[in-house]
Amino acid sequence: MSKVTTLGQFIIEKQADFPYAKGELSRLLRDIAIAGKTVNREVNKAGLMDILGKAGSSNIQGEDQQKLDIYANEQFISALTSGGECCIVASEENEDIIRIGSAVAKNAKYIVAIDPLDGSSNIDVNVPVGTIFSIYRKLSPERDADISDVLQSGTAQVAAGYIIYGSSTMLVYTTGNGVNGFTLDPSIGEFCLSHPQMRIPCDGRIYSINEGNYIHFPKGVKQYIKYCQEEDQLSQRPYMSRYIGSMVADIHRNLIKGGIFIYPYTASAPNGKLRLVYECNPMAFIIEQAGGRATNGKDRIMGLQVNELHQRTPVFIGSRNMVMQAEHFLQDAIDLSFNYNENSAFIYSADTH
Ligand code: P6P
């Protein structure tokens, strides 16, 4: 049986990659993994407990909170608070940043931005969901951390990862030295290295987009979808349409098999739906570190100006050549600018057919 490397062993072995870290980042990743195991336990028995369904509340986004959303959020905040390595948590589930008030945390170096349970509306139908996290260093040790430490560019991330609660539970993360995947072995309660040095194929045959929004897509996106559907033996088209509706699951599949995930702007979401700080930036860091590409259709996701905590962005992410191909259609298409009319929804300013 080949040697089993647990996440803890791996982090210690790789600590040398972090000249300035004295173990704090390692402990922070450990804290996240511990919370992930706890959430995994509840997700895996969601159908057996009164933890399914809506909590009867909504989050800052105005989205119905699922009971597991709230549970997961509490678990990650609790683990990060007791771990003592994190001074601020920025969560999709909370309007404002959460300052960790403990004496230890006052000197903590790290900020964690997190989507505790992405895709949670899928829980009741047993579709994979995930946690997405992004880690930054506090900008200046002299002062207390504040929102400016959270609104850093994606290029300032020191680590990013996701946990996918699927047919198996995996933790996939990067600290800027490639991407490694760990599968939870429930028999020993450890995440074990199962996917070392993950690389996304530079080409793929899977495109992931909610085609239900087709009529609202920019013209270039429509043209790219048609391109994916055309018959062309040389480029192995038509591609396959695969859309789970859970960002972590769609991107994880494309990371392994190759593919592109697109959530463009639409009439109802003029800045796209997905959030920059705790969804797109961490996933972009991972995909870039695996050799892929992540843009908003034009500009690099990780280079976007971060102005507010729950800021949204269109996202085109995955196999490098597929993302570049999609960008090509967007650049060549007539730019659509939505002309909002107070008496109606959005009116396209150009022919969209
Ligand atoms: P739509 C889940 O609600 C989520 O935030 C992502 O995980 C997922 O990719 C996206 O929204 C799905 O959105 O509009 O296609 O249902």
Side-chain angles (χ1 to χ4, degrees), residues 63 92 115 117-122 132 209-211 213 243-250 261 263 273-275 279 312:
E63 296 163 342
E92 187 211 26
D115 183 353
L117 208 61
D118 178 71
S120 53
S121 55
N122 292 306
I132 310 172
I209 187 169
N210 184 343
E211 295 188 61
N213 296 323
Y243 191 73
I244 298 170
S246 183
M247 183 188 199
V248 171
D250 277 314
F261 173 89
Y263 208 107
K273 173 182 182 182
L274 300 174
R275 273 60 58 124
E279 289 173 333
R312 298 173 192 267

Side-chain angles (χ1 to χ4, degrees), residues 290-303:
R293 183 178 174 87
T295 70
N296 61 3
K298 179 168 169 289
D299 303 312
R300 186 186 182 203
I301 289 286
M302 285 172 67

